[in-house]
Amino acid sequence: MDPGTLLCMGHREDLLEGAKRCLLQKGFARTTARDIVKESGTNLASIGYHYGSKGALLAQAYVALVEAMGDAFEGDGIATSATEPGSVERFQAVWSNIVGTMRDPGSIWHLSMEVLVMGDEMPEVRDHLALAQREAARGLIPLLMGGREEDVSDETVDTLGAFYLTLMTGLIAQWTFDPKTAPGAEQLAEGLRQVIAGVTKR
């Protein structure tokens, strides 16, 4: 591989890492293309060449930040592996790990709220992230229900995955708005038990 190609590939990674740092420091709306260039040590032309636009780059950077949280969702693996897939116990164990990421100082989830609140002002970022949500929902299903992500059907993504994603979005909103009153995994699991009890009585 020639040096020019290697440099080009390096710019792509540098841009992504720079965009991730900018998002954590400034958020979506306040991050400019020049901020990313300064942070990554690249140039403005590289953004268009590798990602098409600043909005597409920021969306991909955010997705990369969320994907990096995957290990945190599983925690040490002990709590989840000791529970039955699809059980309320597994539900509580996984959501306990997810809520833990929202308690962390500097949680990335406030970026999600920025997109929700300012989505009309950032249409390209919003559109890219809307597409990424579907795959996020697909990834949550095996974590809670067992099995492999590649075996999850589109129908399951559109139903069960959408349910989990809606719960996730609501949690992010509550933990961003008022952490003191936001529910933990125990409250969520108890709420689920009450729903199950109400359904099985009929």
Side-chain angles (χ1 to χ4, degrees):
M1 190 175 291
D2 65 84
T5 302
L6 285 172
L7 178 62
C8 189
M9 290 175 62
H11 275 195
R12 181 178 177 83
E13 292 304 314
D14 291 341
L15 283 167
L16 187 65
E17 292 303 313
K20 285 158 66 174
R21 289 192 292 272
C22 286
L23 279 179
L24 292 173
Q25 293 165 11
K26 294 188 169 187
F28 284 102
R30 292 176 55 221
T31 294
T32 68
R34 293 189 182 280
D35 289 332
I36 298 171
V37 166
K38 182 178 179 181
E39 189 66 35
S40 63
T42 58
N43 55 68
L44 286 171
S46 293
I47 295 177
Y49 178 78
H50 289 293
Y51 293 95
S53 67
K54 183 195 79 169
L57 170 56
L58 288 177
Q60 193 159 330
Y62 176 70
V63 170
L65 286 169
V66 173
E67 287 176 345
M69 302 297 291
D71 290 341
F73 286 5
E74 295 187 53
D76 57 16
I78 297 174
T80 52
S81 63
T83 56
E84 184 72 21
S87 66
V88 176
E89 291 73 24
R90 169 67 65 88
F91 179 94
Q92 181 171 332
V94 171
W95 286 104
S96 178
N97 293 335
I98 292 174
V99 168
T101 69
M102 298 177 188
R103 288 194 173 107
D104 290 341
S107 169
I108 68 166
W109 300 117
H110 67 277
L111 293 169
S112 297
M113 289 299 99
E114 184 179 359
V115 174
L116 288 177
V117 172
M118 301 186 65
D120 289 343
E121 298 176 35
M122 302 182 291
E124 188 175 11
V125 172
R126 180 197 60 204
D127 292 346
H128 276 87
L129 292 183
L131 293 174
Q133 277 196 110
R134 184 177 179 81
E135 293 313 305
R138 190 184 301 275
L140 283 170
I141 292 169
L143 193 60
L144 288 142
M145 304 299 291
R148 303 186 310 166
E149 186 172 333
E150 55 266 36
D151 295 332
V152 177
S153 69
D154 289 344
E155 181 182 1
T156 303
V157 172
D158 291 337
T159 52
L160 184 59
F163 168 77
Y164 288 142
L165 197 60
T166 300
L167 180 56
M168 181 84 166
T169 304
L171 268 178
I172 293 169
Q174 291 186 65
W175 277 92
T176 301
F177 179 69
D178 188 7
K180 292 180 180 178
T181 62
E186 291 182 2
Q187 287 89 350
L188 294 176
E190 178 55 30
L192 180 59
R193 288 188 183 94
Q194 292 180 30
V195 170
I196 293 170
V199 171
T200 53
K201 282 181 182 178
R202 300 185 177 208

